[in-house]
Amino acid sequence: DAGVIQSTRHEVTEMGQEVTLRCKPISGHDYLFWYRQTMMRGLELLIYFNNNVPIDDSGMPEDRFSAKMPNASFSTLKIQPSEPRDSAVYFCASSKQGGGQAFFGQGTRLTVV
Amino acid sequence: QKEVEQNSGPLSVPEGAIASLNCTYSDRGSQSFFWYRQYSGKSPELIMSIYSNGDKEDGRFTAQLNKASQYVSLLIRDSQPSDSATYLCAVGTYKYIFGTGTRLKVLA
């Protein structure tokens, strides 16, 4: 298996622009997680899905953030409009079952200038 | 969010020594406990998982869980320079909350 795929490793965008991060989970995994990592706050859970349904989005910082999972093999995290404080590494992870090990993608380093 | 606490370190140990990493958590309902290792610029990778009280050993690594004290630890025996990384504790049931990590330095 190729693992969790986040095809974009680095994303640079200007303040005010829309940015969309993409993730392909491991096939057969029912849970998908979006995390954000910064030096100050560590690894924060933003939202997670079970069987493509958003279960808990309490970690999404603001209405500027939204996430979708239109099918079992694809998820997006969108920030609109982006701000410099959104600069971070965004990780997608998936797990086969609730309570099971989460496998991480390579992460997307977002820089908002 | 429920909290997971770790000492940020750095924890420095000589090569060959035992490294002891600790983590406390606040959610008593948590059922799953994980230790991840993260090298600089890389993604977290799983080292150990533990689900019940007691010890679990895998090679040079031992995870210990005490649910009554809300405490989970990781012991690394015969530490190697290649073990130098940040170790993240993750706790939860369906969703996982991570601690901020402990930076470990193994000195050759």
Side-chain angles (χ1 to χ4, degrees), chain B residues 9-71:
Chain B
L11 172 66
S12 295
V13 300
E15 184 176 358
I18 295 175
S20 177
L21 305 163
N22 305 313
C23 170
T24 59
Y25 61 95
S26 63
D27 184 4
R28 285 192 171 275
S30 298
Q31 298 293 317
S32 304
F33 306 85
F34 305 96
W35 283 99
Y36 283 80
R37 177 176 64 197
Q38 187 176 27
Y39 293 112
S40 180
K42 302 295 185 181
S43 58
E45 58 177 333
L46 185 75
I47 298 296
M48 292 285 291
S49 60
I50 187 166
Y51 300 94
S52 55
N53 281 329
D55 295 358
K56 179 181 177 183
E57 185 174 321
D58 184 0
R60 297 187 296 113
F61 300 96
T62 299
Q64 300 173 317
L65 174 61
N66 184 324
K67 289 186 178 180
S69 299
Q70 295 174 250
Y71 177 90

Side-chain angles (χ1 to χ4, degrees), chain A residues 9 31 33 35 37 41 43 45 48 56 58-59 91 95 97-102 104-106, chain B residues 1 32 34 36 38 41-46 49 51 88 92-100:
Chain A
R9 295 298 307 274
Y31 288 79
F33 308 87
Y35 285 90
Q37 188 172 40
R41 299 175 66 88
L43 201 58
L45 178 63
Y48 83 97
D56 186 341
S58 59
F91 287 104
S95 68
Q97 61 196 38
Q101 170 190 352
F104 280 76
Q106 298 279 16
Chain B
Q1 272 189 352
S32 304
F34 305 96
Y36 283 80
Q38 187 176 27
K42 302 295 185 181
S43 58
E45 58 177 333
L46 185 75
S49 60
Y51 300 94
L88 302 167
T93 301
Y94 295 101
K95 66 178 185 180
Y96 310 127
I97 306 303
F98 281 76
T100 52

Side-chain angles (χ1 to χ4, degrees), chain A residues 1-66:
Chain A
D1 199 315
V4 176
I5 297 175
Q6 295 180 258
S7 54
T8 301
R9 295 298 307 274
H10 300 276
E11 180 88 49
V12 181
T13 191
E14 290 185 350
M15 182 175 61
Q17 296 298 306
E18 175 182 305
V19 59
T20 300
L21 309 180
R22 295 171 172 81
C23 172
K24 176 180 170 56
I26 294 172
S27 177
H29 281 198
D30 293 334
Y31 288 79
L32 183 137
F33 308 87
W34 281 102
Y35 285 90
R36 176 174 70 174
Q37 188 172 40
T38 61
M39 288 292 291
M40 291 297 294
R41 299 175 66 88
L43 201 58
E44 301 173 278
L45 178 63
L46 301 177
I47 185 171
Y48 83 97
F49 295 82
N50 177 216
N51 291 324
N52 313 336
V53 176
I55 303 300
D56 186 341
D57 65 355
S58 59
M60 297 285 259
E62 300 172 34
D63 291 344
R64 298 184 295 106
F65 286 69
S66 62

